[in-house]
Amino acid sequence: MSFYAFLGAIEQGLVYGIMALGVYITFRILDFPDLSVDGTFPLGASVAAVLIVHDINPYLSTIIAFFAGVVAGVITGILNTKLKILNLLSGILVMIALYSVNIRIMGQPNTSLLGYDTIFTPIEAFFGAERYMISPVVFLVVVIFLVIAMTWFFHTDIGLGMRGTGDNPKMVRAQGINHNFMVLLGLAFSNGLVALSGALVAQSQGSADVNMGIGTIVAGLASVILGEAFLDARTVFRGVLAVVLGSVVYRFAIAVALSFRVGSFQLNPSDLNLITAIIVTSALVSPGIKKVFKSRL
Amino acid sequence: MIELKNVTKIFNRGTINENVAIKGLSLKIDQYDFITVIGSNGAGKSTLLNLISGNLTPEYGEIFINDKNVTNLPVYVRASFIGQVFQDPLSGTAASLTIEENLAIALKRGKKRGLGLGVKRTDREFFKEQLSKLGLGLENRLKDRVGLLSGGQRQAVTLLMATLVKPEILLLDEHTAALDPKTAAKIIELTEYFVDEYKLTVLMVTHNMRQALSLGNRTIMMHEGEIILDVRSPERDTLQVKDLLEMFARVRGEELVDDKLLLA
């Protein structure tokens, strides 16, 4: 693997790691399989891209994109908690609705950011460094901030309530916690992060596309599961760290698989979904493999 | 003081499975009452507890806690008055959270939850002191996840959590039924200790008639959604299990046929 591909995998692992952190909140903390992220990821990208094209400050645009995700998450939450629609279906409804919404926002299926200032432009100018060096560092800073913030949040009273809600809603209600509100709050936060990830990806690759969200949930889940296979998530901090680690490992595994060559046979980018399925499957069975090895020793 | 006025609960109303679980029931629970509730399966014991806790809302009638009408308040609002221990020892605690985190959630019952740290250093000392009362050595395992504990240990922690903030009423729904006899005896011992220590008002459902008579100061017997017997100390003190059975037969004009009640 070239140095360029190596940096690329780290960069992608980190920026999609932000999305994976959002997926971690819904899937692991809240036990809510939220599929709306396939729509909120491009939502964040679309909102940020359109605002940037309209000469809004890229940092402000990115923050607004985060809140667009928050709103989408709240809608999923309302469908589930107030209208009593099954959690899986609530997410799917928001996901498909967002497909149309995203095209409305952009007025077209995609928006190019070529030639516009992004959040990277001032940093590049300040350090006088190239983009491929700058963006991994920027993403790393954001990820470190999020890991610290999430670890702190999940140890506060509200954070404990949210973790309890996913674990044992009956107990949480009996202890005076409005569990529906916790679900709403978690979905808002989660989808905000996913939209933020979308906004950053759009700016780093130079365009937003309505189809860029396809498979977001699978990549997010793959990261969560891979991370747990590598790092035993006993504490919240380790759990959150595992997600980021999993996301980076996932991107590396894809990069390695794509450079894989036997004779004249080579894998294509179109084989990505198959590769992902194989990676997730092997991560899922890995604890079993470890056990077999241990019992033989 | 808790008061139920003419409460009726109907399940599957308007369908072929319609079932009147509680029929115009009125009950006044005085402060410091420790009431044991007995009755055969389907008598409405658990439904009664669920109506008080807010898991269920009645079709008719009203429920008051300290003269406040709570009939339509959701569970999490009523929780500030109520401590609960369930039959399933796993349902009162969150397995993936540590012992201290579970206790921290319980310590905030009825209080506002914000973005302050859930488990503070000062809380830890308090939790240790409280856990040592259980006599299970859990005071040295604050950072262990609750999922690592046995069912009996978890039920003991649940009991502690239900009383950590003094409730207006403690609802115990056959909270020893799923435990082995030795652990069940330990939980009963702890229950008596906490009730005595904090001067609690208790409503306890049990299938064990001997236990029903030996614990607390008042026993009510339910049948088909109604209270058919309500005895207090001192009249209750001389009662035997066979007296209860006779009373049941006299009131209903039928034999009590429930193995679980007779064998217990």
Side-chain angles (χ1 to χ4, degrees), chain B residues 23-151:
Chain B
K23 285 179 203 157
L25 182 146
S26 293
L27 175 68
K28 215 167 160 178
I29 304 171
D30 296 318
Q31 204 173 9
Y32 310 132
D33 259 356
F34 183 162
I35 305 178
T36 54
V37 186
I38 50 174
S40 49
N41 289 329
K45 306 181 299 289
S46 291
T47 308
L48 174 67
L49 256 63
N50 282 322
L51 285 168
I52 296 175
S53 71
N55 279 320
L56 296 173
T57 12
E59 266 66 37
Y60 305 106
E62 286 169 320
I63 300 166
F64 295 86
I65 300 180
N66 287 347
D67 297 323
K68 184 179 156 72
N69 189 337
V70 298
T71 317
N72 292 309
L73 290 183
V75 180
Y76 65 88
V77 177
R78 267 189 237 194
S80 56
F81 306 111
I82 295 169
Q84 286 189 79
V85 183
F86 313 101
Q87 179 173 358
D88 177 0
L90 307 185
S91 51
T93 44
S96 65
L97 273 61
T98 61
I99 294 179
E100 60 177 17
E101 286 169 341
N102 272 281
L103 291 175
I105 287 179
L107 191 60
K108 280 282 159 73
R109 185 161 52 80
K111 300 191 188 92
K112 213 168 150 44
R113 288 166 212 265
L115 290 174
L117 209 54
V119 186
K120 294 177 200 68
R121 194 168 304 157
T122 46
D123 293 337
R124 256 182 213 122
E125 284 312 306
F126 176 65
F127 292 160
K128 273 189 184 171
E129 190 188 309
Q130 296 296 312
L131 282 166
S132 65
K133 291 179 181 171
L134 302 180
L136 298 168
L138 296 178
E139 59 274 19
N140 303 316
R141 299 177 64 184
L142 281 182
K143 293 199 184 287
D144 274 6
R145 274 185 292 170
V146 165
L148 298 169
L149 307 185
S150 69

Side-chain angles (χ1 to χ4, degrees), chain B residues 241-251:
Chain B
V241 172
K242 66 173 171 35
D243 301 325
L244 277 183
L245 294 172
E246 272 167 24
M247 280 183 185
F248 182 89
R250 203 163 53 232
V251 174

Side-chain angles (χ1 to χ4, degrees), chain B residues 178-195:
Chain B
L179 305 172
D180 65 79
K182 195 167 160 247
T183 314
K186 173 76 185 169
I187 296 294
I188 288 297
E189 184 192 314
L190 285 171
T191 306
E192 289 188 277
Y193 171 80
F194 281 118
V195 171

Side-chain angles (χ1 to χ4, degrees), chain A residues 155 157 163 167-168 175 178, chain B residues 91 93 96 101 108 113 118:
Chain A
H155 283 98
D157 281 319
R163 284 163 63 201
D167 188 310
N168 187 347
Q175 294 298 345
N178 182 349
Chain B
S91 51
T93 44
S96 65
E101 286 169 341
K108 280 282 159 73
R113 288 166 212 265

Side-chain angles (χ1 to χ4, degrees), chain A residues 134-185:
Chain A
I134 289 294
S135 52
V137 177
V138 171
F139 296 150
L140 183 67
V141 170
V142 175
V143 165
I144 290 174
F145 169 77
L146 285 175
V147 167
I148 294 171
M150 281 172 68
T151 307
W152 165 77
F153 173 75
F154 284 118
H155 283 98
T156 64
D157 281 319
I158 293 181
L160 287 182
M162 197 180 283
R163 284 163 63 201
T165 298
D167 188 310
N168 187 347
K170 186 178 178 182
M171 166 266 194
V172 153
R173 274 195 298 270
Q175 294 298 345
I177 295 170
N178 182 349
H179 86 293
N180 281 336
F181 177 71
M182 289 296 166
V183 170
L184 217 61
L185 195 65

